Amino acid sequence: MDSKQKFYHHFQDSAAEIQDLTDQLDCVSPVAGERQEAIDHILASISKLQHEVSDASEFTPSYDRKQYSDTIKNLQEKLNETIARMTPKSRFQFRRCSVQEHVDMGAPENDPRLYPGSHSRNIQSHNGDFNREATERDSRVRQLPPTENPEYDNELPKPSAQSFLQPGFSATKNVGISNQSDLHIILPSSAARATTSGSLTDIKCCIVDMSLPTVEGRPWPGLTLRNISHSLVIAGLVDGPVHITGVSNSIIVVIARQVRIHECADVDLYLHCTSHPIIEDCTSMRFAPLPKSYAIKDVSGKENQWDKVDDFKWLKAGQSPNWRALSDAETLDDTVWTKVVPGQPGKSVEETLKEVGVSRQ
């Protein structure tokens, strides 16, 4: 496969990823700036794709560059339409009509990097009033603020010596777990009602099991794992794409149709993936097939392409140095998944992580 074909496939996959992220914006909660963060990520991805088209102008014909430019324009318009639909309309609006012609991103005069500030953008956060129903639909595991209601405090589960946390999600729509450390978090089966979307962000030294709701209920339509370190994550079944960004020194177990991994290092991934896993800007990634203890009927008979990894930062022929397959001797034994990972009496989260090969440093 020559450079032109490789870039074509890379562009198509990147555009599909941006489209998926845009389609999922409705499921991202506006609380705590999460939706704005998702929008910023999409804008950055579009800008990055524009730069890559410019870099590839040396070996792509003008016709292909026009197609790339049109696709990027459509992605921008789709994002703008989605943001406009989700933003409350004001009584008075200023409208400006503009007609955009095709711009060849391969031409030097149109490369935005040659004109600092010419394509700068200002992101403004609009704070609105959210009704109680919207708040109840969004459930997040966070540090609870102090309360002056002693009866309410008495009803809260007290943390045990093993630092287990089993939150309830029976009346929620979205599940978001963020800003946690040194906890063993298990989502109960009641969270099956909440599997509209899932996210796990800013997690350190934790064991998080999100698999039970997806086995007994519905799979996650999409899942985002971001900024996770020294942790074990059992994500469960995902019907759509899984986006893994900024994960280090961790183990991830997931069943998905698409897995896209960015800016990760020293991660073991146990996968059942029906398409090629994609990595970009990653190092020391290790892949293995899904453990038998997490196999489910929904994926039986479907081809597992866990070892057909595409590295978008390695366009040369031959094996990428950024990933490899785990040997049989390196993979965790089934007894570890069934006996150690669920937790053992008297053992801390740190001790359990150490047994599965995840250290705190």
Side-chain angles (χ1 to χ4, degrees), residues 288-324:
L290 185 76
K292 294 180 180 179
S293 53
Y294 293 106
I296 59 176
K297 295 181 180 179
D298 290 6
V299 298
S300 61
K302 296 182 180 179
E303 182 184 3
N304 186 5
Q305 303 188 49
W306 65 273
D307 58 345
K308 296 179 174 61
V309 181
D310 291 333
D311 185 353
F312 283 171
K313 288 299 183 179
W314 184 261
L315 301 180
K316 302 177 183 179
Q319 171 66 33
S320 165
N322 299 318
W323 75 274
R324 66 178 179 85

Coordinates of all heavy atoms in Angstrom, one line a residue, residues 288-324:
A288 N -4.0 -8.2 23.9 CA -4.3 -9.7 24.1 C -5.8 -9.9 23.9 O -6.6 -9.0 23.9 CB -4.0 -10.0 25.6
P289 N -6.2 -11.1 23.6 CA -7.6 -11.4 23.4 C -8.4 -11.3 24.7 O -7.8 -11.4 25.8 CB -7.6 -12.8 22.8 CG -6.4 -13.4 23.3 CD -5.4 -12.3 23.3
L290 N -9.7 -11.2 24.6 CA -10.6 -11.1 25.7 C -10.5 -12.3 26.6 O -10.5 -13.4 26.1 CB -12.0 -10.9 25.3 CG -13.1 -10.7 26.3 CD1 -13.0 -9.2 26.8 CD2 -14.5 -11.0 25.8
P291 N -10.3 -12.1 27.9 CA -10.3 -13.3 28.8 C -11.6 -14.1 28.7 O -12.7 -13.5 28.5 CB -10.2 -12.7 30.2 CG -9.6 -11.3 30.0 CD -10.1 -10.9 28.7
K292 N -11.5 -15.4 28.9 CA -12.7 -16.3 28.8 C -13.8 -15.9 29.8 O -15.0 -16.1 29.5 CB -12.3 -17.7 28.9 CG -11.4 -18.2 27.8 CD -11.0 -19.7 28.1 CE -10.1 -20.2 26.9 NZ -9.7 -21.6 27.2
S293 N -13.4 -15.5 30.9 CA -14.3 -15.2 32.0 C -15.2 -14.0 31.6 O -16.3 -13.8 32.3 CB -13.6 -14.9 33.3 OG -12.6 -13.9 33.1
Y294 N -14.9 -13.2 30.6 CA -15.7 -12.0 30.2 C -16.4 -12.2 28.9 O -17.0 -11.3 28.4 CB -14.8 -10.8 30.2 CG -14.3 -10.3 31.6 CD1 -13.0 -10.5 31.9 CD2 -15.2 -9.8 32.5 CE1 -12.5 -10.2 33.2 CE2 -14.7 -9.4 33.8 CZ -13.4 -9.6 34.1 OH -13.0 -9.3 35.3
A295 N -16.2 -13.4 28.3 CA -16.9 -13.7 27.0 C -18.4 -13.8 27.2 O -18.9 -14.2 28.2 CB -16.4 -15.0 26.5
I296 N -19.1 -13.2 26.3 CA -20.6 -13.2 26.3 C -21.2 -13.8 25.0 O -20.5 -13.8 24.0 CB -21.2 -11.8 26.6 CG1 -20.7 -10.8 25.5 CG2 -20.7 -11.3 27.9 CD1 -21.3 -9.5 25.6
K297 N -22.4 -14.1 25.0 CA -23.0 -14.7 23.8 C -23.1 -13.8 22.7 O -23.1 -14.2 21.5 CB -24.4 -15.3 24.2 CG -24.4 -16.4 25.2 CD -25.9 -16.9 25.5 CE -25.9 -18.0 26.5 NZ -27.3 -18.4 26.8
D298 N -23.3 -12.5 22.9 CA -23.5 -11.5 21.9 C -22.3 -11.4 20.9 O -22.5 -11.0 19.7 CB -23.6 -10.1 22.5 CG -25.0 -9.9 23.2 OD1 -25.7 -11.0 23.3 OD2 -25.3 -8.8 23.7
V299 N -21.1 -11.8 21.3 CA -20.0 -11.8 20.4 C -19.4 -13.1 20.0 O -18.5 -13.2 19.2 CB -18.8 -11.0 21.1 CG1 -19.2 -9.5 21.3 CG2 -18.3 -11.7 22.3
S300 N -20.1 -14.2 20.4 CA -19.6 -15.5 20.0 C -19.9 -15.7 18.6 O -20.9 -15.4 18.0 CB -20.4 -16.6 20.8 OG -21.8 -16.5 20.6
G301 N -18.9 -16.2 17.9 CA -19.0 -16.4 16.4 C -18.5 -15.2 15.6 O -18.3 -15.4 14.4
K302 N -18.3 -14.1 16.2 CA -17.8 -12.9 15.5 C -16.3 -12.9 15.6 O -15.7 -13.2 16.6 CB -18.4 -11.6 16.1 CG -19.9 -11.5 16.0 CD -20.4 -10.2 16.5 CE -21.9 -10.1 16.4 NZ -22.4 -8.8 17.0
E303 N -15.7 -12.5 14.5 CA -14.2 -12.5 14.4 C -13.6 -11.5 15.3 O -14.1 -10.3 15.4 CB -13.7 -12.2 13.0 CG -12.2 -12.2 12.8 CD -11.8 -11.8 11.4 OE1 -12.6 -11.4 10.6 OE2 -10.5 -11.8 11.2
N304 N -12.6 -11.9 16.1 CA -11.9 -11.0 17.0 C -10.6 -10.5 16.3 O -9.7 -11.3 16.1 CB -11.6 -11.6 18.3 CG -11.1 -10.7 19.4 OD1 -10.9 -9.5 19.1 ND2 -10.7 -11.2 20.5
Q305 N -10.6 -9.2 16.0 CA -9.4 -8.7 15.3 C -8.5 -7.9 16.3 O -7.9 -6.9 16.0 CB -9.8 -7.8 14.2 CG -10.7 -8.5 13.2 CD -11.0 -7.6 12.0 OE1 -10.1 -7.1 11.3 NE2 -12.3 -7.5 11.6
W306 N -8.3 -8.4 17.5 CA -7.6 -7.7 18.6 C -6.1 -7.5 18.2 O -5.5 -6.5 18.6 CB -7.6 -8.6 19.8 CG -7.0 -9.9 19.7 CD1 -7.5 -11.1 19.3 CD2 -5.6 -10.2 20.0 NE1 -6.6 -12.1 19.3 CE2 -5.4 -11.6 19.8 CE3 -4.5 -9.4 20.5 CZ2 -4.2 -12.2 19.9 CZ3 -3.3 -10.1 20.7 CH2 -3.1 -11.4 20.4
D307 N -5.6 -8.3 17.3 CA -4.1 -8.2 17.0 C -3.9 -7.6 15.6 O -2.8 -7.6 15.2 CB -3.5 -9.6 17.0 CG -4.1 -10.6 16.1 OD1 -5.3 -10.3 15.6 OD2 -3.5 -11.7 15.8
K308 N -4.9 -7.0 15.0 CA -4.8 -6.4 13.7 C -4.8 -4.9 13.9 O -5.7 -4.1 13.5 CB -5.8 -6.8 12.7 CG -5.8 -8.3 12.4 CD -6.9 -8.7 11.4 CE -6.8 -10.1 11.0 NZ -6.8 -11.1 12.1
V309 N -3.8 -4.4 14.7 CA -3.7 -3.0 15.1 C -3.2 -2.1 14.0 O -2.2 -2.4 13.4 CB -2.9 -2.9 16.4 CG1 -2.8 -1.4 16.8 CG2 -3.4 -3.8 17.5
D310 N -3.9 -1.0 13.7 CA -3.4 0.0 12.8 C -2.8 1.2 13.6 O -3.5 1.8 14.4 CB -4.5 0.5 11.9 CG -5.0 -0.5 10.9 OD1 -4.2 -1.4 10.6 OD2 -6.2 -0.5 10.6
D311 N -1.5 1.5 13.3 CA -0.8 2.6 14.0 C -0.8 3.7 13.0 O 0.0 3.7 12.0 CB 0.6 2.2 14.4 CG 1.3 3.3 15.2 OD1 0.7 4.4 15.3 OD2 2.4 3.0 15.8
F312 N -1.5 4.8 13.2 CA -1.6 5.9 12.3 C -0.3 6.8 12.3 O -0.2 7.7 11.5 CB -2.8 6.8 12.5 CG -4.1 6.2 12.0 CD1 -5.3 6.7 12.3 CD2 -4.0 5.1 11.2 CE1 -6.5 6.2 11.8 CE2 -5.2 4.5 10.7 CZ -6.4 5.0 11.0
K313 N 0.6 6.5 13.3 CA 1.8 7.2 13.3 C 3.0 6.4 12.7 O 4.1 6.7 12.9 CB 2.2 7.7 14.7 CG 1.3 8.8 15.2 CD 1.4 10.1 14.3 CE 0.6 11.2 14.9 NZ 0.8 12.4 14.1
W314 N 2.6 5.2 12.2 CA 3.6 4.3 11.6 C 3.1 3.9 10.2 O 2.4 2.9 10.1 CB 3.9 3.1 12.5 CG 5.0 2.2 12.0 CD1 4.8 1.0 11.3 CD2 6.4 2.4 12.2 NE1 6.0 0.5 11.0 CE2 7.0 1.3 11.5 CE3 7.2 3.4 12.8 CZ2 8.4 1.2 11.5 CZ3 8.5 3.3 12.7 CH2 9.1 2.2 12.1
L315 N 3.5 4.7 9.2 CA 3.0 4.4 7.9 C 4.0 3.6 7.1 O 3.7 3.3 5.9 CB 2.7 5.7 7.2 CG 1.7 6.6 7.8 CD1 1.5 7.9 7.1 CD2 0.3 5.9 8.0
K316 N 5.1 3.2 7.7 CA 6.1 2.4 7.0 C 5.6 0.9 6.9 O 4.7 0.5 7.7 CB 7.4 2.5 7.6 CG 8.0 3.9 7.8 CD 9.3 3.9 8.5 CE 9.8 5.3 8.7 NZ 11.1 5.3 9.4
A317 N 6.3 0.2 6.0 CA 6.0 -1.3 6.0 C 6.6 -1.9 7.2 O 7.6 -1.5 7.7 CB 6.5 -1.8 4.7
G318 N 6.0 -3.0 7.6 CA 6.6 -3.7 8.8 C 5.9 -3.4 10.1 O 5.0 -2.6 10.2
Q319 N 6.3 -4.1 11.1 CA 5.6 -4.0 12.4 C 5.9 -2.7 13.1 O 7.1 -2.2 13.1 CB 6.1 -5.1 13.3 CG 5.7 -5.0 14.8 CD 4.3 -5.2 15.0 OE1 3.6 -5.9 14.3 NE2 3.7 -4.5 16.0
S320 N 4.9 -2.0 13.6 CA 5.1 -0.8 14.4 C 5.8 -1.1 15.7 O 5.5 -2.1 16.4 CB 3.7 -0.1 14.7 OG 3.9 0.9 15.7
P321 N 6.7 -0.2 16.1 CA 7.4 -0.4 17.4 C 6.6 0.1 18.6 O 7.0 -0.1 19.7 CB 8.7 0.5 17.2 CG 8.2 1.6 16.3 CD 7.3 1.0 15.4
N322 N 5.4 0.6 18.3 CA 4.6 1.2 19.4 C 3.6 0.2 20.0 O 3.0 0.5 21.0 CB 3.8 2.4 18.8 CG 4.8 3.5 18.3 OD1 5.8 3.8 19.0 ND2 4.4 4.0 17.2
W323 N 3.5 -1.0 19.5 CA 2.6 -2.0 20.1 C 3.1 -3.4 19.8 O 3.9 -3.6 18.8 CB 1.2 -1.8 19.6 CG 1.0 -2.3 18.1 CD1 1.2 -1.7 17.0 CD2 0.6 -3.7 17.8 NE1 0.9 -2.5 15.9 CE2 0.5 -3.7 16.3 CE3 0.2 -4.8 18.5 CZ2 0.1 -4.8 15.6 CZ3 -0.2 -6.0 17.8 CH2 -0.2 -5.9 16.4
R324 N 2.7 -4.3 20.6 CA 3.0 -5.8 20.4 C 1.9 -6.6 21.0 O 1.1 -6.1 21.9 CB 4.3 -6.1 21.0 CG 4.4 -6.0 22.5 CD 5.8 -6.5 23.0 NE 5.9 -6.4 24.4 CZ 5.6 -7.3 25.3 NH1 5.0 -8.4 24.8 NH2 5.7 -7.1 26.6

